[in-house]
Amino acid sequence: MHKPELAQSSPQRLTTVTDKFHWYHWLVLAASFLLTLAAWFVSSQQNHLKMEQQYNFHAMHLIELVEERMSRYEDTLWGSVAALEFSDGEINAKQWRSYSEQLSLASKYPGINGIGVIYFVKPDSLDAFLTKQQNDQPDFQIHPAHTREEFWPITFIEPLASNRKALGLDMAHENNRLTAAKRARDSGLAQITAPIVLVQDSQKTPGFLFFAPFYKGGAVPSTLEERRESFIGNVYAPFIMKNLMDGTLENENRLLNFSISDGDNLLYNELSADSSDFDPDPIFSENHQINLYGRTWDFTIQTSLIFRSQHNNNQPIFILIAGIVIEIMLFSLFLILVNANHRAVSYAKAASRDLLHKQEELTGAYTRMSRAFDTMLDGLVIVSNTGIILEVNNATLMLFHYHRDELVGQNIQCLLPTSSSGESENGNPLLTVGEQQIMGKRKNNSQLPIHIQISEDLENNQPIFIGIIHDLTDKHQDEQRLAEQEALLTTAIHSSLSGFALCDTACKFTEINAGLAEWLGYSKEELIGQPVDTIIADHEKIETRRGLDMLIKGDIESIRREKQYKRVDGSLVWGLLSSSSIRNSAGQVTSIFAQILDIDRAKRLSLQLETRNAELVRSNAELDQFAYVASHDLKAPLNAINKLAGWIEEDCEGLLPESAQQHFELLKNRSKRMGKLLDDLLLFSRVGRVNYQVESVDLRPLVLDIVGLMDIPSTFNVTVTDITLNVAKTPFEQVIRNLIGNAVKHHPNDAGNIAVLAEKTVNGFTLKVADDGIGIPPNLHGKALEMFQTLRPRDEVEGSGLGLALCNKIVEYNGGTLHIESTNPELLDKPNQLSADNLGATIVIFLPIMQNMTD
């Protein structure tokens, strides 16, 4: 191997030298240049793909934040609808203000401007409606005037201070507001308006209203006519778009800027120079459409300056520059080699006095060439035609874990596994011109995959081989891991009990697993190549084909739904389908992947449960109707009997004997008892039908109010614990009224003591109502809680026998307990008035903490 010399060259000399380049020099330079371009291109594509993936993630996350926030506001509206249903849609401004304060709009629902109620008022009801509302809100007026024959005024709105201009505003005066309000009424669903300007917005920026309808009876009627007939009004929330977006997400240190439009109307815009981190030349920009409560919003999303700064990756440029530097070095190397060879030929016959000088120059050139070799990232090895290693660079030594003196002079076989020798025409792959991938062998006998590029040259008229070696270990390991993952995935799919299938764009099965075939009673071979319709129930085929067409066209990315499938015997089974499209690198859909879970048993049980629930609802409705009819139809003749008895008694006053007068009195008392029995039966049958909200109640004022309303004789002393309890006031008040009434009604004397005591416990509270009356014998405690049971003759004490039974039923429906004890004298305020034969009874009630009582 000659050591080339260095000399000064003119441009003409350089042209002459480059003319001496062999084809393989240009091949090496071209190959190196192509490798550099490929590395630069791959790095650039990977960098762009990572940026695109992060952009898509943040764009979808932004849209999901908006959708999630709107869903929370919808839940708030439906919660308000439920609150109105508990009061049959009739509330006043004070009640609505109390309810809205409990919502804590400013802290829990940032972006919402308020919450209010809109009633639908027909023209013939307008005067009565205005009179009622002005009694509640003296400054209430419906505005502005319009010509429509219907009124939709904002009747309540909180917080009132910031929304006062909206109070009394009629939705019917403006088409966008009225259209959305009617659409909510007719659909029974939450709806939003087209873009509007809120009257309370001094900036006159875009906004919208969010409606949720409520109806008589609570539930949404099933038909359009019924919905319009039973419609009461809408709960609504006004939104200023800028406030909504500020409450949803802050435009600070965000990777994306965006704008939102509804048709031609711009709702929100960050795509301007005034926006934080706005990028006038974004890396990515896309449009997305989402359907929100009857309107379509167009999102234009683009990257910000922060996104650009975080993805300013110069790695592809560095790779390109490094490749060009290596290219220049290779060119310089070949130029030096060719130049040295030319000079050696030209000056071979020079005087001997110049030989030493030339050799020194050649030695310097050789040293520089060796340094150039040693700076290469790939391995370089020069081999004689006999297989002896003439020279290696540092990259080769590091790759195969040798020292230079351990390789130079050795046969090239030491770098190859034994199984690789003798596989080429020269007996060694490193002596074969061209490119190939083989296995190399390190000093410790471990193997590594390598890519070699061999070129041939002459030295002293003898062929030598120059090999460039590139380590493929990372690529080989990646390919091996990928193959293992694919094998693992294939094994998992085919061993799974769930059904998996692949179909082509012609909707024919290309692959299925054993779980799907066994579930449907087929073999795999019977289904592969068959149309998807083979396993689809007849009534599902059109919808299934429509969904597959949308997946293949790319209109949707996935499908998830329950549907019926047809087994080989013709029977139908339920399955949960999860299907998605598979695309190639060009983004084209090549096949459809589907997973089908067996939900047949669960689905059939669900359908049975729905049927039974419907029957239960119908049965309850029939019971309510029966109770109403029974109460109405039975009380009518009782009232007639009372009137007839009164007329006869008036007509025969002074004529009837005393026994007949007693019989008339008995007749009237028993008629009254029958009326009370019907009322108590109606109350008893309706226990559990209405839920009441828990509120804070002061026990002492409540009991004293009940005593005053019941007109209990002043000779009875009532003692009450001064305590505050969290209870549902209406049913709780009914229980106490019945217990105090029983204590007075069954007391043997005209005077007595009654104690109403309460004590909080860890998981609830205990209420005791005690008296010093005749008491209840222990053996009759259970019987006293049954319906129509009294411990004294009804002619002595008027009553239906349902008082304690009704109390017991209310308490049990709310998870509590009620039992009877003998009165402890210490419970009463005046124990000296008790006698040994007059110890009375104590009704003990336990209710769990914070329960919404049912009546």
Side-chain angles (χ1 to χ4, degrees):
M1 177 178 179
H2 293 294
K3 296 181 179 180
E5 61 182 4
L6 296 176
Q8 298 294 326
S9 301
S10 64
Q12 182 179 2
R13 177 69 174 169
L14 178 60
T15 304
T16 303
V17 172
T18 54
D19 290 341
K20 297 296 184 179
F21 272 30
H22 295 284
W23 63 269
Y24 48 81
H25 294 142
W26 296 112
L27 179 62
V28 171
L29 290 173
S32 177
F33 182 72
L34 290 176
L35 287 174
T36 299
L37 288 180
W40 169 78
F41 178 78
V42 171
S43 179
S44 299
Q45 289 297 105
Q46 289 178 344
N47 186 43
H48 185 272
L49 180 60
K50 290 180 181 178
M51 288 193 297
E52 186 176 14
Q53 289 175 343
Q54 187 168 7
Y55 166 77
N56 290 333
F57 170 79
H58 286 286
M60 291 300 101
H61 181 62
L62 185 147
I63 293 175
E64 289 171 357
L65 282 176
V66 174
E67 291 179 330
E68 186 270 342
R69 181 54 57 91
M70 291 298 292
S71 178
R72 287 184 57 193
Y73 293 151
E74 181 190 10
D75 293 341
T76 303
L77 292 180
W78 288 123
S80 302
V81 168
L84 286 173
E85 290 174 356
F86 289 144
S87 60
D88 292 332
E90 296 294 328
I91 59 171
N92 55 40
K94 181 179 180 182
Q95 291 171 332
W96 186 252
R97 184 178 303 112
S98 175
Y99 170 75
S100 65
E101 289 173 353
Q102 294 177 7
L103 292 179
S104 302
L105 296 177
S107 59
K108 294 183 180 179
Y109 304 96
I112 191 170
N113 278 59
I115 189 165
V117 179
I118 298 171
Y119 284 104
F120 171 67
V121 183
K122 296 180 180 179
D124 56 355
S125 304
L126 180 61
D127 293 339
F129 175 83
L130 283 173
T131 300
K132 178 180 179 182
Q133 296 306 322
Q134 289 173 354
N135 288 336
D136 185 30
Q137 304 175 87
D139 58 345
F140 179 84
Q141 290 293 335
I142 297 178
H143 63 91
H146 59 81
T147 59
R148 288 190 171 96
E149 293 297 322
E150 55 185 353
F151 301 90
W152 299 69
I154 298 175
T155 308
F156 308 110
I157 178 68
E158 292 293 335
L160 184 59
S162 58
N163 293 279
R164 182 168 294 278
K165 290 184 178 180
L167 183 65
L169 181 68
D170 192 350
M171 299 294 100
H173 88 281
E174 190 266 331
N175 187 58
N176 285 347
R177 290 175 170 88
L178 181 60
T179 299
K182 287 185 175 181
R183 196 169 61 242
R185 175 197 66 186
D186 293 344
S187 65
L189 304 175
Q191 300 287 312
I192 63 176
T193 67
I196 61 172
V197 174
L198 303 184
V199 297
Q200 58 266 49
D201 181 14
S202 60
Q203 303 296 322
K204 304 302 181 182
T205 59
F208 64 93
L209 303 181
F210 203 172
F211 297 107
F214 59 97
Y215 304 87
K216 297 176 183 177
V220 178
S222 58
T223 66
L224 176 61
E225 292 76 15
E226 291 175 345
R227 287 193 289 271
R228 291 181 175 178
E229 181 64 26
S230 61
F231 176 73
I232 298 177
N234 288 319
V235 175
Y236 95 108
F239 292 87
I240 297 174
M241 197 65 187
K242 182 179 182 304
N243 296 345
L244 174 62
M245 291 298 104
D246 291 343
T248 303
L249 40 90
E250 297 180 352
N251 186 8
E252 181 178 353
N253 297 328
R254 199 152 26 84
L255 300 179
L256 303 178
N257 289 328
F258 69 101
S259 68
I260 303 176
S261 300
D262 185 333
D264 296 331
N265 299 309
L266 184 64
L267 293 174
Y268 182 76
N269 185 29
E270 291 181 359
L271 305 183
S272 65
D274 297 333
S275 297
S276 176
D277 302 313
F278 173 74
D279 190 352
D281 184 22
I283 300 175
F284 297 103
S285 180
E286 291 183 356
N287 294 325
H288 299 268
Q289 283 190 345
I290 63 172
N291 293 321
L292 283 177
Y293 307 102
R295 301 297 301 176
T296 299
W297 284 4
D298 297 313
F299 283 73
T300 300
I301 305 174
Q302 66 181 38
T303 55
S304 66
L305 291 175
I306 296 179
F307 187 97
R308 182 181 293 278
S309 65
Q310 291 185 0
H311 296 84
N312 188 15
N313 191 346
N314 295 321
Q315 181 181 4
I317 300 300
F318 292 151
I319 292 175
L320 183 61
I321 294 174
I324 293 174
V325 170
I326 294 174
E327 189 76 8
I328 293 173
M329 293 173 62
L330 283 174
F331 182 83
S332 300
L333 174 62
F334 291 149
L335 186 63
I336 292 171
L337 290 174
V338 173
N339 183 54
N341 184 63
H342 180 76
R343 292 184 64 82
V345 173
S346 300
Y347 297 101
K349 298 179 180 180
S352 57
R353 62 178 178 272
D354 296 330
L355 182 60
L356 179 61
H357 177 68
K358 300 298 182 183
Q359 289 177 343
E360 290 176 354
E361 290 181 350
L362 186 60
T363 301
Y366 180 79
T367 300
R368 289 189 290 274
M369 182 183 68
S370 298
R371 291 174 180 172
F373 279 145
D374 287 338
T375 60
M376 293 177 60
L377 297 178
D378 287 334
L380 181 69
V381 59
I382 303 175
V383 185
S384 69
N385 61 341
T386 60
I388 302 301
I389 299 175
L390 301 178
E391 190 58 75
V392 295
N393 68 344
N394 284 338
T396 302
L397 298 176
M398 295 176 63
L399 186 60
F400 291 96
H401 301 173
Y402 281 97
H403 295 290
R404 184 178 299 276
D405 55 2
E406 293 177 322
L407 279 184
V408 177
Q410 300 297 317
N411 193 287
I412 194 63
Q413 296 282 4
C414 65
L415 299 181
L416 300 173
T418 303
S419 59
S420 297
S421 61
E423 294 181 358
S424 68
E425 59 182 352
N426 291 323
N428 194 308
L430 293 180
L431 301 180
T432 302
V433 176
E435 297 185 31
Q436 54 183 310
Q437 293 184 9
I438 62 172
M439 297 299 296
K441 183 181 70 174
R442 293 191 177 97
K443 181 179 178 180
N444 60 4
N445 290 326
S446 64
Q447 296 186 11
L448 73 159
I450 59 175
H451 175 273
I452 60 173
Q453 180 179 339
I454 306 298
S455 61
E456 187 178 357
D457 202 351
L458 291 176
E459 182 179 297
N460 297 329
N461 293 326
Q462 295 294 324
I464 61 173
F465 298 91
I466 302 173
I468 299 176
I469 304 174
H470 181 70
D471 185 8
L472 297 178
T473 300
D474 292 340
K475 179 181 179 182
H476 179 74
Q477 290 176 350
D478 291 342
E479 291 176 348
Q480 187 175 6
R481 282 195 297 268
L482 181 60
E484 291 175 353
Q485 291 174 356
E486 289 179 351
L488 180 62
L489 180 60
T490 300
T491 301
I493 288 176
H494 284 286
S495 61
S496 175
L497 295 178
S498 299
F500 292 93
L502 281 175
C503 68
D504 55 22
T505 54
C507 297
K508 291 185 178 181
F509 288 116
T510 57
E511 184 61 54
I512 63 169
N513 71 337
L516 178 59
E518 292 176 2
W519 182 50
L520 298 175
Y522 291 91
S523 64
K524 291 177 57 177
E525 292 74 15
E526 289 177 318
L527 287 180
I528 292 178
Q530 295 298 316
V532 173
D533 289 351
T534 304
I535 66 170
I536 304 299
D538 293 340
H539 64 279
E540 299 271 13
K541 289 183 178 180
I542 296 177
E543 182 65 25
T544 300
R545 188 56 190 241
R546 184 183 299 114
L548 289 173
D549 289 342
M550 294 177 69
L551 282 174
I552 293 170
K553 292 177 181 178
D555 295 339
I556 58 176
E557 294 296 327
S558 63
I559 295 175
R560 181 181 176 85
R561 60 166 296 190
E562 297 174 353
K563 58 173 40 182
Q564 286 186 296
Y565 294 87
K566 182 167 60 177
R567 293 173 52 85
V568 68
D569 59 3
S571 60
L572 299 181
V573 289
W574 282 96
L576 176 61
L577 170 68
S578 298
S579 181
S580 58
S581 57
I582 300 175
R583 300 175 182 266
N584 57 19
S585 58
Q588 298 173 332
V589 176
T590 58
S591 56
I592 304 298
F593 174 78
Q595 179 186 9
I596 305 174
L597 298 178
D598 179 8
I599 61 168
D600 187 66
R601 178 177 175 82
K603 183 65 177 180
R604 295 185 187 279
L605 290 175
S606 176
L607 293 175
Q608 293 177 4
L609 182 59
E610 291 178 1
T611 301
R612 292 179 180 177
N613 285 341
E615 292 176 352
L616 183 59
V617 170
R618 179 180 55 79
S619 177
N620 287 338
E622 291 176 352
L623 286 175
D624 285 341
Q625 182 65 21
F626 172 77
Y628 173 79
V629 171
S631 174
H632 180 272
D633 292 352
L634 292 178
K635 288 180 70 175
L638 281 177
N639 293 333
I641 292 173
N642 278 328
K643 290 181 180 179
L644 288 173
W647 293 342
I648 294 174
E649 188 177 19
E650 291 176 0
D651 293 341
C652 300
E653 184 177 1
L655 301 177
L656 294 176
E658 183 179 353
S659 60
Q661 292 178 357
Q662 292 176 353
H663 292 162
F664 269 108
E665 190 66 29
L666 185 61
L667 175 63
K668 290 191 293 183
N669 290 339
R670 291 187 178 179
S671 296
K672 292 179 181 179
R673 185 193 308 159
M674 186 63 180
K676 188 177 187 310
L677 176 61
L678 289 174
D679 291 338
D680 289 348
L681 277 174
L682 188 60
L683 287 174
F684 190 86
S685 66
R686 289 183 174 179
V687 172
R689 303 296 176 86
V690 180
N691 288 328
Y692 292 91
Q693 292 297 321
V694 172
E695 57 182 296
S696 181
V697 175
D698 292 330
L699 182 61
R700 181 178 177 82
L702 177 67
V703 173
L704 294 180
D705 286 344
I706 292 173
V707 171
L709 291 175
M710 293 177 66
D711 195 21
I712 293 176
S714 58
T715 54
F716 280 86
N717 178 49
V718 180
T719 305
V720 188
T721 302
D722 192 2
I723 190 172
T724 300
L725 302 175
N726 290 330
V727 296
K729 185 176 180 181
T730 300
F732 184 70
E733 182 178 355
Q734 185 176 4
V735 170
I736 293 179
R737 185 186 301 110
N738 282 347
L739 295 180
I740 293 177
N742 281 348
V744 174
K745 185 190 306 179
H746 295 285
H747 202 284
N749 303 319
D750 295 333
N753 294 287
I754 301 173
V756 181
L757 311 176
E759 180 182 6
K760 293 182 179 179
T761 63
V762 176
N763 56 350
F765 68 89
T766 299
L767 177 75
K768 295 183 178 181
V769 179
D771 62 66
D772 58 353
I774 60 175
I776 301 175
N779 62 327
L780 297 180
H781 284 180
K783 184 177 180 181
L785 299 179
E786 297 177 1
M787 294 175 60
F788 310 118
Q789 298 297 326
T790 60
L791 302 181
R792 296 173 62 188
R794 287 188 172 88
D795 290 335
E796 296 180 8
V797 178
E798 288 295 333
S800 62
L802 286 172
L804 280 179
L806 180 61
C807 294
N808 186 47
K809 187 175 182 181
I810 292 174
V811 171
E812 288 183 347
Y813 260 103
N814 291 277
T817 59
L818 182 149
H819 67 276
I820 303 171
E821 296 178 353
S822 295
T823 298
N824 182 349
E826 295 180 359
L827 293 177
L828 300 175
D829 189 43
K830 299 179 179 179
N832 58 330
Q833 296 183 5
L834 300 177
S835 64
D837 298 328
N838 198 27
L839 293 179
T842 300
I843 309 301
V844 182
I845 296 174
F846 171 77
L847 280 174
I849 194 169
M850 293 299 293
Q851 293 293 318
N852 294 330
M853 293 190 70
T854 302
D855 192 2

